[in-house]
Amino acid sequence: MRTLRDIDQLRSTLREHRQRGQRIALVPTMGNLHAGHLALVACARQHADIVVSSLFVNPMQFGPGEDLDGYPRTFSADQSQLTEAGCDVLFAPAVSALYPNGLDAQTRVHVPVVGKGLCGGSRPGHFDGVSTVVSMLFNLVQPDVACFGEKDYQQLAVIRKLVRDLHMPIEIIGVPIVRATDGLALSSRNGYLSVEERATAPALYRTLCMLRDALERGAAIDESLDQGKAALSEAGFTPDYLELRDASLASVSPATRHAVILAAAKLGPARLIDNITVQLPASE
Ligand code: PAF
């Protein structure tokens, strides 16, 4: 695996692959890799000849008071895992390479509608930061395909819309959530949890499963969500949101069948997110 930090080197390396007619896949990451990221790389391998992974802790997507400084940085371990997983090129630029004029002077990409509410509501500017850096990576790598985790359900929806709206010829693939055996969705932020908090954390997924089962049996939506929030608080979480949306993140209507329950909740120092799909029954 080649590790490149320089934009010109990345472009010339990928130009050679493209000239040979090879398909390129991109897996954007912020590092501190776990089995969820490796599933993205495995998916990328299946869809392309050359797999490029980017590792960049993107300051633009962190709000004031968020965990930019403390975000886990484990470069050598990430490099070894990517090599092992069959990644061909690791692109790990410095902040000054992507944002040479600083964040304030930087052109930003804003994706309306799907970026509103949920994490977009709790983390103002977050999805502009994600959309900007992902657009930049798409321009630099010009992949045929890019893989993103379904754990960040709203992020995936934002990126799908970005690519559609800007007519980028890139196939976006969502990769299913990878969970620990106790159900907790893998996340770099799980590393912030104490031993006790880690033992509590699977209650987030259990609550989502309980809610899904209730809604699929025809339980009332608002009451079920209230019960879910109460269950999370009882377990020790501070719920941020717990919402039912249709699969495209629009509000549910009586006609909605394919829906998703999305949750964000704080547990100690960690803000955890998760989601689960639901098949709503037709009302009588
Ligand atoms: O999901 C992430 O790790 C980040 O939001 C991404 C897509 C790499 C952009 O910085």
Side-chain angles (χ1 to χ4, degrees), residues 7 95-103 106 136:
I7 286 180
V95 172
S96 57
L98 291 198
Y99 302 121
N101 301 309
L103 292 186
Q106 176 65 45
M136 222 184 260

Side-chain angles (χ1 to χ4, degrees), residues 27-31 37 54 56-58 61 71 126 129-130 133-134 137 148-149 152 155 159:
V27 177
T29 84
M30 297 206 300
H37 296 107
S54 59
F56 181 69
V57 182
N58 173 32
Q61 69 188 75
Y71 197 84
H126 169 66
V130 170
V133 81
V134 169
L137 292 167
F148 293 86
D152 297 284
Q155 169 172 283
I159 289 163

Side-chain angles (χ1 to χ4, degrees), residues 235-279:
F237 287 88
T238 307
D240 175 354
Y241 62 76
L242 181 63
E243 291 195 32
L244 181 72
R245 298 280 186 101
D246 82 5
S248 65
L249 291 182
S251 307
V252 288
S253 77
T256 305
R257 293 293 159 267
H258 303 299
V260 56
I261 311 168
L262 303 113
K266 276 210 84 174
L267 184 62
R271 181 177 179 278
L272 304 182
I273 61 172
D274 203 347
N275 66 80
I276 194 168
T277 53
V278 192
Q279 299 304 316

Side-chain angles (χ1 to χ4, degrees), residues 14 16-24 48-50 144:
L14 294 181
E16 285 171 24
H17 288 296
R18 222 170 280 117
Q19 277 165 357
R20 280 186 225 132
Q22 291 174 306
R23 268 172 71 81
I24 297 173
D49 305 301
I50 298 296
D144 298 282

